[in-house]
Amino acid sequence: MTDYRRRNKVKRLAYHLLEDPDSGARHYFNAGMMLVVLCSVVAMVLEAEPGITQAEQGLFDYLEDIFIAIFMTEYILRYWVCSDFRGDYIAAQTRIIRRLHDPHPLYVKWLAFREAMIPKLKWMAEPLSVVDLLAILPIFRMFRLLRILRILRLLKLFRYSRRLSFFSDILQERSYELMSLFTVAAVTWGMVAVAFYVAERGVNEKISTIWEAVYWAIITITTVGYGDITPATPTGQVIAVLGTLFGMWVIVFMTSIIVSALTERIFNLTEHRMERQIERFKDHIIVCGLDMLGRSVCRTLKDAGIQFVAVDINHELVDDAQREDWIAIHGDVTEEEVWSRLGIKRARSVISSLVDEAANVYIILMVREAQPDCFIVTCGGSSDSERRLKRVGADRVISPFQIGGAQMANTALRPTAIQFFDMAFKRDHVELDMEEVAIAKGSTYEGKPLKSVYARPEFNEVIIVGYMPTGPGSDILFNPKADTQLNAGDILVCLGHVDDLVRFRQALEER
């Protein structure tokens, strides 16, 4: 039992090193193996020099043995960790005994062995596994002379480099379409080559074998056109024209398939990069919707230096946001999986700029289920909508039309006062800012009166205009008195210079 557990531990370690996509050790292993592959190819190139001595040849043979040993060890370990053969064998044996009536023990073992070997055989048939096998074939001296096998080791880089595997994944995803087109291309080019061979043989001195006709067909259809072989008969010229037209048609189809797959893959890579960045976020803000209102929210958060992630179902809006260097992903906020990608359990606030009340209700319910303490701000179109959304669980409901109308009227009635508040809230005016600062638990000012803060001369230019005591149902107090006691969780609304507010926050968070 101890040996079995030890084997499992070693196997987990090997899997962590070779296959685990979230493993940090795997990145270092891949970098080391890329270096080994490149060194083996460089050694092969140096070995091909005609003037090397016998001692140098012995050194290159010794290095090749080391490279082969490394590649063989890797191949065996990958073969080992690609599936749990022992577990699959026991499970298959139990299932077969349960299904068959009076089975023969040897027959049961054979069926179980065959079933347990299927994952191993599938792994061996994968393209990268075949490349790994070709990399160790030079262990036999007869294959070592075939330098093409050693050059093929460069294909192993597709396994180790995520950027190179990007292209291999594309070919694998569109393998069916590409194989179909390759079949059509082979048939078309083969027919052109045979027709050209029949038409030109005996007339064109450069066409004496079918291979020369195949060579001409490939060079002509791919528009390389070295000019070493040209049609010598009118029939050959007609075949050249028709072959080029049909051949280029196939090439265009292949190109379109690869380009479309490349475009989709690039988008997926961008999404993956965004998600990796979101995984490092903490206390960030989630913005739902990238319409004009949502973009205004994102721009304000960006100017304030706040971490945020935006989500929208429209690909074009997401692309525009990413071009602005915002963290934005494509997704439907009515799908639960999207919220895990947004890191909802680590978010501090959710802002929904959507005007659809049903979507906002769903957002509120999803957020309250995943993160009950999250602060939710939604967009409301009317007072009835505001009341319903607050009843569902929204902390604030903002009506852009009502606030916009009030702002326009107040600007006309009180232009100077509105200009003052614009200076406080717009980051363009760095001299003045309005900020809310919370009293941290264990702060040196916890349990002390507000006048103890004013006693410090460096805070004389910070004006405390509001005070929100902790606890449910508390109302904000305007211009709090000096003897107001400060408790952990209380919030002070302050007005002052940006630098003064930064020092003020640090002082209230000091323990």
Side-chain angles (χ1 to χ4, degrees):
M1 186 68 177
T2 304
D3 292 340
Y4 174 67
R5 288 178 176 174
R6 187 180 296 113
R7 285 199 303 270
N8 275 353
K9 185 177 181 180
V10 175
K11 192 170 187 176
R12 285 197 299 269
L13 179 62
Y15 176 80
H16 182 71
L17 183 65
L18 297 172
E19 300 291 347
D20 188 0
D22 299 325
S23 169
R26 180 172 177 246
H27 300 311
Y28 293 105
F29 174 80
N30 288 343
M33 289 303 299
M34 290 176 68
L35 182 62
V36 171
V37 170
L38 294 176
C39 288
S40 70
V41 175
V42 171
M44 184 210 66
V45 173
L46 296 177
E47 184 184 356
E49 289 292 330
I52 63 172
T53 63
Q54 188 173 359
E56 291 173 338
Q57 182 63 50
L59 175 61
F60 285 126
D61 289 340
Y62 178 70
L63 290 175
E64 179 63 20
D65 292 337
I66 294 177
F67 294 141
I68 291 175
I70 294 174
F71 295 144
M72 182 179 292
T73 303
E74 181 200 12
Y75 184 85
I76 294 173
L77 289 176
R78 289 188 185 277
Y79 177 84
W80 183 39
V81 302
C82 71
S83 68
D84 183 11
F85 178 82
R86 186 177 187 275
D88 294 341
Y89 178 83
I90 294 174
Q93 191 176 39
T94 304
R95 184 167 57 254
I96 292 169
I97 293 175
R98 194 166 54 241
R99 290 179 179 179
L100 298 180
H101 175 68
D102 193 21
H104 193 277
L106 291 179
Y107 182 62
V108 171
K109 290 181 180 179
W110 160 248
L111 292 179
F113 174 80
R114 188 177 65 176
E115 189 170 335
M117 279 297 297
I118 290 177
K120 302 286 189 184
L121 296 175
K122 286 183 177 179
W123 177 85
M124 293 178 64
E126 292 178 358
L128 290 179
S129 301
V130 175
V131 171
D132 291 341
L133 183 61
L134 293 176
I136 61 178
L137 280 182
I139 191 174
F140 303 104
R141 292 290 175 178
M142 57 181 296
F143 290 114
R144 188 167 296 191
L145 298 176
L146 299 175
R147 288 191 171 90
I148 185 65
L149 293 179
R150 296 160 71 180
I151 295 176
L152 289 176
R153 289 174 181 172
L154 290 173
L155 296 178
K156 287 175 67 66
L157 297 177
F158 284 94
R159 181 187 290 280
Y160 306 127
S161 174
R162 183 178 299 174
R163 292 176 177 85
L164 291 178
S165 62
F166 167 76
F167 295 100
S168 63
D169 292 342
I170 290 176
L171 297 178
Q172 188 172 359
E173 289 175 2
R174 299 302 178 95
S175 59
Y176 179 79
E177 296 92 334
L178 290 175
M179 286 303 298
S180 300
L181 282 175
F182 274 125
T183 303
V184 174
V187 172
T188 303
W189 295 358
M191 292 173 59
V192 172
V194 171
F196 189 76
Y197 175 75
V198 172
E200 296 285 316
R201 187 183 61 171
V203 179
N204 193 332
E205 60 181 8
K206 294 184 179 181
I207 298 297
S208 57
T209 63
I210 188 66
W211 167 246
E212 292 173 340
V214 172
Y215 165 78
W216 170 86
I218 295 176
I219 294 300
T220 302
I221 293 174
T222 55
T223 68
V224 175
Y226 291 127
D228 51 348
I229 300 177
T230 57
T233 63
T235 305
Q237 294 174 351
V238 173
I239 293 172
V241 172
L242 295 178
T244 303
L245 292 176
F246 283 104
M248 287 301 297
W249 173 75
V250 176
I251 293 176
V252 168
F253 266 93
M254 286 185 182
T255 306
S256 63
I257 290 175
I258 294 177
V259 168
S260 64
L262 186 65
T263 304
E264 294 176 5
R265 196 69 183 177
I266 289 176
F267 178 78
N268 292 335
L269 278 180
T270 304
E271 290 278 292
H272 180 71
R273 179 176 61 86
M274 293 290 177
E275 291 174 9
R276 293 296 294 270
Q277 290 181 283
I278 296 171
E279 290 175 1
R280 297 192 292 268
F281 281 2
K282 187 177 181 181
D283 292 333
H284 59 286
I285 296 177
I286 299 174
V287 180
C288 302
L290 281 168
D291 51 6
M292 292 183 63
L293 181 60
R295 292 179 66 84
S296 177
V297 172
C298 293
R299 196 170 291 110
T300 303
L301 295 176
K302 182 72 173 180
D303 293 340
I306 304 298
Q307 285 185 337
F308 71 94
V309 53
V311 58
D312 199 286
I313 198 171
N314 190 317
H315 281 286
E316 295 181 359
L317 295 179
V318 174
D319 292 341
D320 292 340
Q322 292 174 354
R323 279 191 286 270
E324 299 235 13
D325 201 22
W326 300 344
I327 305 299
I329 64 174
H330 172 264
D332 187 352
V333 291
T334 60
E335 297 179 359
E336 188 173 354
E337 180 266 339
V338 172
W339 288 98
S340 61
R341 293 167 55 200
L342 293 170
I344 181 60
K345 293 187 177 180
R346 303 185 307 276
R348 68 172 177 179
S349 181
V350 172
I351 301 176
S352 173
S353 65
L354 305 177
V355 295
D356 186 357
E357 185 176 342
N360 284 328
V361 169
Y362 186 85
I363 290 172
I364 295 169
L365 295 177
M366 286 293 301
V367 173
R368 285 289 172 247
E369 181 181 0
Q371 177 66 298
D373 298 331
C374 193
F375 192 84
I376 303 176
V377 182
T378 63
C379 178
S382 62
S383 57
D384 293 337
S385 175
E386 178 180 354
R387 186 171 58 254
R388 286 190 293 267
L389 292 174
K390 282 188 174 181
R391 189 182 303 131
V392 174
D395 294 288
R396 296 286 188 276
V397 180
I398 307 298
S399 175
F401 305 105
Q402 294 179 0
I403 292 180
Q407 176 80 357
M408 295 174 68
N410 287 324
T411 302
L413 295 173
R414 309 171 185 87
T416 305
I418 296 301
Q419 183 180 3
F420 176 79
F421 279 103
D422 286 343
M423 289 177 61
F425 285 107
K426 289 184 179 179
R427 302 297 295 184
D428 298 338
H429 304 277
V430 295
E431 310 87 14
L432 185 66
D433 195 9
M434 182 173 286
E435 188 63 87
E436 58 179 56
V437 182
I439 308 297
K441 186 173 179 60
S443 170
T444 55
Y445 292 96
E446 182 180 0
K448 295 182 179 180
L450 184 60
K451 60 184 178 183
S452 62
V453 178
Y454 284 121
R456 298 182 59 169
E458 63 266 31
F459 296 149
N460 287 342
E461 296 185 7
V462 176
I463 304 173
I464 301 176
V465 297
Y467 168 73
M468 169 74 80
T470 186
S474 301
D475 295 328
I476 188 169
L477 303 177
F478 172 72
N479 192 18
K481 297 181 180 179
D483 58 352
T484 302
Q485 184 175 346
L486 302 178
N487 300 310
D490 293 350
I491 297 176
L492 300 178
V493 181
C494 311
L495 188 66
H497 194 279
V498 176
D499 297 334
D500 294 334
L501 292 176
V502 171
R503 286 201 311 274
F504 187 70
R505 178 186 292 277
Q506 293 173 350
L508 294 185
E509 293 177 351
E510 192 177 74
R511 298 177 184 274

